[in-house]
Coordinates of all heavy atoms in Angstrom, one line a residue:
L370 N 63.2 46.9 -75.6 CA 64.3 47.8 -76.0 C 64.8 48.8 -75.0 O 65.9 49.3 -75.2 CB 63.9 48.5 -77.3 CG 63.6 47.7 -78.6 CD1 63.1 48.5 -79.7 CD2 64.9 46.9 -79.0
L371 N 64.0 49.1 -74.1 CA 64.2 50.2 -73.1 C 64.6 49.7 -71.7 O 64.1 48.7 -71.2 CB 63.0 51.1 -73.0 CG 62.5 51.8 -74.3 CD1 61.2 52.4 -74.0 CD2 63.5 52.9 -74.6
T372 N 65.5 50.5 -71.0 CA 65.8 50.2 -69.6 C 64.6 50.8 -68.9 O 63.8 51.7 -69.4 CB 67.1 50.9 -69.2 OG1 67.0 52.3 -69.4 CG2 68.2 50.4 -70.1
P373 N 64.5 50.6 -67.6 CA 63.5 51.3 -66.8 C 63.6 52.8 -66.8 O 62.7 53.6 -66.9 CB 63.7 50.8 -65.3 CG 64.3 49.4 -65.6 CD 65.1 49.5 -66.8
A374 N 64.9 53.3 -66.7 CA 65.1 54.8 -66.9 C 64.7 55.3 -68.3 O 64.2 56.4 -68.4 CB 66.6 55.1 -66.6
G375 N 65.0 54.4 -69.3 CA 64.6 54.8 -70.6 C 63.1 54.9 -70.8 O 62.5 55.8 -71.5
R376 N 62.3 54.0 -70.2 CA 60.8 54.1 -70.2 C 60.4 55.4 -69.5 O 59.5 56.1 -70.1 CB 60.2 52.9 -69.5 CG 60.4 51.6 -70.3 CD 59.6 50.5 -69.7 NE 59.8 49.2 -70.4 CZ 58.8 48.3 -70.6 NH1 57.6 48.6 -70.1 NH2 59.0 47.2 -71.3
T377 N 61.0 55.7 -68.4 CA 60.6 56.9 -67.7 C 60.8 58.2 -68.6 O 60.0 59.1 -68.6 CB 61.3 57.0 -66.4 OG1 61.0 55.9 -65.5 CG2 60.9 58.3 -65.6
A378 N 62.0 58.2 -69.1 CA 62.4 59.3 -70.0 C 61.5 59.4 -71.2 O 61.0 60.6 -71.5 CB 63.9 59.2 -70.4
L379 N 61.3 58.3 -71.9 CA 60.5 58.4 -73.1 C 59.0 58.7 -72.8 O 58.3 59.3 -73.7 CB 60.6 57.0 -73.8 CG 60.4 57.1 -75.4 CD1 61.4 58.0 -76.0 CD2 60.6 55.7 -75.9
A380 N 58.5 58.4 -71.6 CA 57.1 58.7 -71.3 C 56.9 60.1 -71.2 O 55.7 60.6 -71.5 CB 56.8 58.0 -69.9
R381 N 57.9 60.9 -71.0 CA 57.8 62.4 -71.0 C 57.5 62.9 -72.4 O 57.0 64.1 -72.5 CB 59.0 63.1 -70.3 CG 59.2 62.8 -68.9 CD 60.1 63.7 -68.3 NE 61.5 63.7 -68.8 CZ 62.4 62.9 -68.3 NH1 62.1 62.1 -67.3 NH2 63.7 62.8 -68.8
Y382 N 57.8 62.2 -73.4 CA 57.7 62.7 -74.8 C 56.6 61.9 -75.5 O 56.0 62.5 -76.4 CB 59.0 62.5 -75.5 CG 60.2 63.2 -74.9 CD1 61.0 62.7 -74.0 CD2 60.3 64.6 -75.1 CE1 62.1 63.4 -73.4 CE2 61.3 65.3 -74.5 CZ 62.2 64.7 -73.6 OH 63.2 65.4 -73.0
F383 N 56.4 60.7 -75.2 CA 55.4 59.9 -76.0 C 54.0 60.0 -75.3 O 53.1 59.2 -75.6 CB 55.8 58.5 -76.1 CG 56.9 58.2 -77.2 CD1 57.5 59.3 -77.8 CD2 57.2 56.9 -77.6 CE1 58.4 59.1 -78.8 CE2 58.2 56.7 -78.6 CZ 58.8 57.8 -79.2
G384 N 53.8 61.0 -74.4 CA 52.6 61.2 -73.8 C 52.0 62.5 -74.1 O 51.1 63.0 -73.5
G385 N 52.6 63.2 -75.2 CA 52.1 64.5 -75.6 C 52.7 65.7 -74.8 O 52.2 66.8 -75.0
G386 N 53.7 65.4 -74.0 CA 54.4 66.5 -73.3 C 55.5 67.2 -73.9 O 55.4 68.2 -74.7
G387 N 56.7 66.6 -73.7 CA 57.9 67.3 -74.2 C 58.0 67.3 -75.7 O 57.4 66.5 -76.4
R388 N 58.9 68.2 -76.2 CA 59.1 68.3 -77.7 C 60.0 67.2 -78.3 O 61.0 67.0 -77.7 CB 59.6 69.7 -78.0 CG 59.9 70.0 -79.4 CD 58.6 70.2 -80.2 NE 58.0 71.5 -79.9 CZ 57.0 72.0 -80.4 NH1 56.3 71.3 -81.2 NH2 56.4 73.2 -80.1
V389 N 59.6 66.6 -79.3 CA 60.5 65.6 -80.0 C 60.9 66.3 -81.3 O 60.1 66.6 -82.1 CB 59.7 64.3 -80.3 CG1 60.6 63.3 -81.0 CG2 59.2 63.7 -79.0
V390 N 62.2 66.5 -81.4 CA 62.8 67.1 -82.6 C 63.2 66.0 -83.6 O 64.1 65.2 -83.2 CB 63.9 68.1 -82.2 CG1 64.5 68.7 -83.5 CG2 63.5 69.1 -81.3
V391 N 62.6 66.0 -84.7 CA 62.8 64.9 -85.7 C 63.7 65.4 -86.8 O 63.2 66.2 -87.6 CB 61.6 64.2 -86.1 CG1 61.8 63.0 -87.0 CG2 60.7 63.9 -84.9
R392 N 64.8 64.8 -87.0 CA 65.6 65.0 -88.2 C 65.0 64.2 -89.4 O 65.0 63.0 -89.3 CB 67.1 64.6 -88.0 CG 67.8 65.5 -87.0 CD 69.3 65.0 -87.0 NE 70.1 65.9 -86.1 CZ 70.3 65.6 -84.7 NH1 69.7 64.5 -84.2 NH2 71.0 66.4 -84.0
I393 N 64.6 64.9 -90.4 CA 63.8 64.3 -91.4 C 63.9 65.2 -92.7 O 63.9 66.4 -92.5 CB 62.3 64.0 -91.0 CG1 61.6 63.0 -91.9 CG2 61.6 65.3 -90.8 CD1 60.3 62.5 -91.3
Q394 N 63.8 64.6 -93.8 CA 63.9 65.4 -95.1 C 62.9 65.2 -96.1 O 62.3 66.1 -96.7 CB 65.3 65.1 -95.8 CG 66.6 65.3 -94.9 CD 66.9 66.7 -94.5 OE1 66.2 67.6 -95.0 NE2 67.8 66.9 -93.6
R395 N 62.5 63.9 -96.4 CA 61.7 63.6 -97.5 C 60.2 63.9 -97.2 O 59.7 63.6 -96.1 CB 61.8 62.1 -97.9 CG 61.4 61.7 -99.2 CD 61.9 60.3 -99.7 NE 61.2 59.2 -99.0 CZ 61.4 57.9 -99.3 NH1 62.4 57.7 -100.3 NH2 60.8 57.0 -98.7
A396 N 59.5 64.4 -98.2 CA 58.1 64.7 -98.0 C 57.2 63.6 -97.6 O 56.4 63.7 -96.7 CB 57.6 65.3 -99.3
A397 N 57.4 62.4 -98.2 CA 56.7 61.3 -97.9 C 56.9 60.9 -96.4 O 55.9 60.5 -95.7 CB 56.9 60.1 -98.8
D398 N 58.1 60.9 -95.9 CA 58.4 60.6 -94.5 C 57.8 61.6 -93.7 O 57.3 61.3 -92.5 CB 59.9 60.5 -94.3 CG 60.6 59.4 -95.0 OD1 59.9 58.4 -95.3 OD2 61.8 59.5 -95.3
I399 N 57.7 62.9 -94.0 CA 57.2 63.9 -93.2 C 55.7 63.7 -93.0 O 55.1 63.8 -91.9 CB 57.5 65.3 -93.8 CG1 58.9 65.7 -93.7 CG2 56.6 66.4 -93.1 CD1 59.3 66.9 -94.5
V400 N 55.0 63.3 -94.0 CA 53.6 63.0 -94.0 C 53.3 61.9 -93.0 O 52.3 61.9 -92.2 CB 53.0 62.8 -95.4 CG1 51.5 62.3 -95.3 CG2 53.0 64.0 -96.2
R401 N 54.1 60.8 -93.2 CA 53.9 59.6 -92.3 C 54.1 60.1 -90.8 O 53.4 59.6 -89.9 CB 54.8 58.5 -92.7 CG 54.4 57.8 -93.9 CD 55.3 56.6 -94.2 NE 54.8 55.9 -95.4 CZ 55.4 56.2 -96.6 NH1 56.4 57.0 -96.7 NH2 55.0 55.6 -97.7
L402 N 55.1 60.9 -90.6 CA 55.4 61.4 -89.2 C 54.2 62.2 -88.7 O 53.9 62.1 -87.5 CB 56.7 62.2 -89.2 CG 57.1 62.8 -87.9 CD1 57.3 61.8 -86.9 CD2 58.3 63.8 -88.1
L403 N 53.7 63.1 -89.5 CA 52.5 63.9 -89.1 C 51.4 62.9 -88.6 O 50.7 63.2 -87.5 CB 52.1 64.8 -90.1 CG 53.1 65.9 -90.5 CD1 52.5 66.7 -91.7 CD2 53.4 66.9 -89.4
R404 N 51.1 61.9 -89.4 CA 50.0 61.0 -89.1 C 50.4 60.2 -87.8 O 49.6 60.1 -86.9 CB 49.9 60.0 -90.2 CG 49.3 60.6 -91.5 CD 49.3 59.5 -92.6 NE 48.8 60.0 -93.9 CZ 48.9 59.3 -95.0 NH1 49.4 58.1 -95.0 NH2 48.4 59.8 -96.1
W405 N 51.6 59.8 -87.7 CA 52.0 58.9 -86.6 C 51.9 59.8 -85.2 O 51.4 59.3 -84.3 CB 53.5 58.4 -86.8 CG 54.0 57.6 -85.7 CD1 53.8 56.3 -85.5 CD2 54.7 58.0 -84.5 NE1 54.4 55.8 -84.3 CE2 55.0 56.9 -83.7 CE3 55.2 59.3 -84.1 CZ2 55.7 57.0 -82.5 CZ3 55.9 59.3 -82.9 CH2 56.1 58.2 -82.1
S406 N 52.5 61.0 -85.3 CA 52.5 61.9 -84.1 C 51.1 62.2 -83.7 O 50.8 62.3 -82.4 CB 53.4 63.1 -84.4 OG 52.8 63.9 -85.4
K407 N 50.2 62.4 -84.6 CA 48.8 62.8 -84.2 C 48.1 61.6 -83.6 O 47.4 61.7 -82.6 CB 48.0 63.2 -85.5 CG 46.6 63.6 -85.2 CD 45.8 64.0 -86.4 CE 44.4 64.4 -86.2 NZ 43.7 64.9 -87.3
Q408 N 48.4 60.4 -84.1 CA 47.7 59.2 -83.6 C 48.3 58.8 -82.2 O 47.5 58.3 -81.4 CB 48.0 58.0 -84.6 CG 47.2 58.1 -85.9 CD 47.7 57.1 -86.9 OE1 48.6 56.3 -86.7 NE2 47.0 57.1 -88.1

Side-chain angles (χ1 to χ4, degrees):
L370 296 173
L371 296 169
T372 66
R376 289 189 180 215
T377 299
L379 208 55
R381 294 197 294 269
Y382 300 97
F383 282 9
R388 179 75 73 181
V389 179
V390 180
V391 184
R392 292 183 177 91
I393 194 167
Q394 304 290 353
R395 198 164 76 174
D398 293 336
I399 292 172
V400 171
R401 288 190 180 91
L402 175 62
L403 295 175
R404 293 174 180 172
W405 182 88
S406 62
K407 181 178 180 180
Q408 292 168 357

